[in-house]
Amino acid sequence: MKLICIGRNYTKHIEELENEKPTDPVVFLKPDTAILLKKQPFFIPDFSNDVHHEVEVLVKINRVGKYIDKKFAHKYYDQIGLGIDFTARDLQSELKSKGLPWEKAKAFDGAAVVGNWLSKSKFENVNNINFSLHKNDELVQQGNTSLMLWKIDELIEYVSKYFTLKIGDIIFTGTPAGVGKVVANDKLKGFIEDEQLFSIHVK
């Protein structure tokens, strides 16, 4: 399985990082080795002094698809989740300044938190899901999928032009504003609506 990540999908996050608003979804991949193992802490890697949390709504693909039309995209997932795209911001900035790929800053071991999954049927509308991240019990990020530049079904249509989607693949749909640095002993908790889907200890 693969992790397909979408960058710059919320306007306020684009603004906070002073990035250019894209005309198409920004797509990058993480390997399965990036998934943080259940009940394991997140260890800040020794190659970065500025790792940021980025909370994101996740979608798990449940059938194989290629060139999926948006009107059929809803058939390709039945679970919604929440996770974190950890980013070594200092390393990412260095790589971007040189025009190099981001993978070392985004795809390192443990850089992808995948929380518990919820049935899509739980939601009246997947384009109106509230989600949030709390750091040490303080709200630091909150968003709603209605604010995505490209909604879930549009992302599936776009991504499937380039990559065959397979059962178990996970799409990270982008992060809202409020990203920030994590330090040792931070406790991160992620919520969809009022339901906690993960709790991570930083070391």
Side-chain angles (χ1 to χ4, degrees):
M1 54 86 72
K2 53 189 174 290
L3 308 179
I4 302 163
C5 304
I6 307 300
R8 305 182 192 177
N9 202 21
Y10 288 84
T11 298
K12 289 186 177 180
H13 174 59
I14 294 170
E15 293 171 352
E16 75 176 344
L17 294 187
E18 299 180 350
N19 285 323
E20 183 178 333
K21 191 172 182 178
T23 55
D24 293 301
V26 175
V27 180
F28 60 96
L29 302 180
K30 296 188 186 223
D32 57 3
T33 49
I35 295 176
L36 184 66
L37 298 177
K38 295 290 186 184
K39 299 184 179 178
Q40 293 295 309
F42 171 73
F43 289 94
I44 296 172
D46 58 9
F47 52 77
S48 177
N49 295 311
D50 192 23
V51 173
H52 284 203
H53 57 74
E54 299 187 10
V55 71
E56 311 198 10
V57 169
L58 312 183
V59 177
K60 185 189 284 187
I61 300 300
N62 65 0
R63 63 178 69 186
V64 176
K66 177 72 173 174
Y67 292 111
I68 300 164
D69 191 287
K70 182 177 72 172
K71 66 185 177 186
F72 300 121
H74 67 278
K75 298 182 177 182
Y76 286 80
Y77 63 102
D78 54 18
Q79 290 183 294
I80 300 289
L82 194 70
I84 296 177
D85 165 21
F86 279 119
T87 304
R89 191 73 69 202
D90 47 358
L91 180 55
Q92 184 190 37
S93 296
E94 177 188 338
L95 293 166
K96 285 169 65 177
S97 71
K98 296 176 181 177
L100 297 173
W102 302 348
E103 271 74 8
K104 289 190 290 186
K106 287 276 196 179
F108 57 88
D109 289 355
V113 172
V114 176
N116 296 332
W117 294 96
L118 300 173
S119 171
K120 186 174 68 172
S121 63
K122 181 181 177 76
F123 305 99
E124 290 185 17
N125 182 359
V126 296
N127 295 321
N128 186 23
I129 297 174
N130 291 303
F131 62 102
S132 62
L133 181 72
H134 294 248
K135 180 167 68 175
N136 305 323
D137 295 322
E138 178 185 351
L139 177 65
V140 289
Q141 283 189 270
Q142 59 181 336
N144 185 288
T145 53
S146 66
L147 300 174
M148 289 180 178
L149 297 178
W150 291 276
K151 305 300 190 285
I152 291 171
D153 291 355
E154 293 171 318
L155 293 174
I156 288 174
E157 178 181 58
Y158 183 82
V159 167
S160 68
K161 292 178 184 177
Y162 301 93
F163 310 108
T164 296
L165 296 178
K166 302 180 78 173
I167 296 170
D169 286 352
I170 297 172
I171 299 177
F172 280 64
T173 61
T175 194
V179 303
K181 183 176 180 177
V182 296
V183 297
N185 297 316
D186 277 347
K187 194 75 172 283
L188 304 173
K189 295 179 181 179
F191 296 83
I192 282 184
E193 303 297 345
D194 296 323
E195 186 164 350
Q196 181 177 308
L197 296 189
F198 65 76
S199 177
I200 302 297
H201 187 213
V202 179
K203 290 191 175 181

